[in-house]
């Protein structure tokens, strides 16, 4: 997923959005990207939210919780 720095979400930025599906809009985003600085540790932290290990852990917890509610 992409967290744009202009979103004001308080999360570390992971990329940039561009508004129109046009070459000019994409070129503008690339120019902005080239001037931007991203924290590699924050990028890794954000990517880990989508890791296989996290998914397995959370799906097991969910199934266990639902199973316990129905037994």
């Amino acid at each position: 997923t992409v967290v744009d720095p202009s979103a004001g979400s308080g999360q570390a930025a992971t990329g940039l959005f561009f508004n129109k599906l046009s070459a000019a809009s994409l070129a503008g985003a690339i120019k902005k990207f080239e001037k931007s600085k991203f924290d590699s540790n924050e990028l890794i932290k954000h990517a880990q939210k989508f890791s296989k290990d996290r998914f397995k852990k959370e799906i097991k917890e969910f199934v266990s919780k639902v199973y316990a509610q129905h037994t």
Side-chain angles (χ1 to χ4, degrees):
T1 64
V2 176
V3 178
D4 190 291
S6 64
S9 67
Q11 291 181 288
T14 62
L16 302 172
F17 293 127
F18 58 99
N19 296 323
K20 295 182 182 178
L21 295 178
S22 69
S25 184
L26 177 58
I30 291 170
K31 287 178 183 176
K32 186 176 177 182
F33 176 84
E34 289 174 335
K35 296 176 185 175
S36 300
K37 296 194 185 309
F38 294 94
D39 182 334
S40 60
N41 291 324
E42 290 294 332
L43 295 174
I44 291 167
K45 189 168 105 177
H46 185 72
Q48 288 172 336
K49 293 177 184 178
F50 306 95
S51 72
K52 183 177 178 179
D53 290 337
R54 181 176 179 204
F55 175 81
K56 286 169 57 176
K57 175 184 173 278
E58 290 184 11
I59 198 73
K60 285 178 182 179
E61 289 172 357
F62 174 78
V63 170
S64 295
K65 181 180 176 182
V66 171
Y67 178 76
Q69 292 174 350
H70 292 87
T71 56

